[in-house]
Amino acid sequence: MTEEVLKLMERIDELESRLAFQEDTISQLNDVITRQDADIRSVVARLRELGEKYSALTFEMQGGGRQADEKPPHY
């Protein structure tokens, strides 16, 4: 084979090696993103739940549910 053909074959081998490395890296990054997405969804659901509990407690602390002229239960 000529020298040009050998150089081209070396370049192709190098490109194939780089491509394989990039495909592996992309796969690993996709796995990380998938896990992070699940974690974010879990955190958002928990935050929503805590927000609802906070709203309910705030409502109760401000006398929610009682009439303005109604005495609190301890009277």
Side-chain angles (χ1 to χ4, degrees):
M1 289 191 203
T2 66
E3 190 175 322
E4 284 183 25
V5 173
L6 291 174
K7 285 182 181 181
L8 285 174
M9 289 178 67
E10 287 176 12
R11 288 182 64 194
I12 290 172
D13 288 342
E14 176 66 25
L15 290 172
E16 287 176 342
S17 176
R18 287 183 184 189
L19 177 62
F21 177 76
Q22 289 176 353
E23 286 176 343
D24 184 54
T25 301
I26 289 170
S27 177
Q28 290 176 13
L29 290 171
N30 187 54
D31 292 343
V32 169
I33 289 170
T34 301
R35 279 189 306 244
Q36 287 178 342
D37 182 59
D39 291 345
I40 289 170
R41 289 176 188 271
S42 174
V43 168
V44 167
R46 181 70 176 139
L47 182 60
R48 186 175 293 120
E49 180 183 323
L50 290 173
E52 291 170 1
K53 286 182 179 181
Y54 175 79
S55 294
L57 286 172
T58 302
F59 180 73
E60 288 180 26
M61 290 177 66
Q62 293 174 348
R66 284 190 289 127
Q67 299 295 327
D69 59 347
E70 183 181 337
K71 292 183 179 179
H74 62 277
Y75 280 110

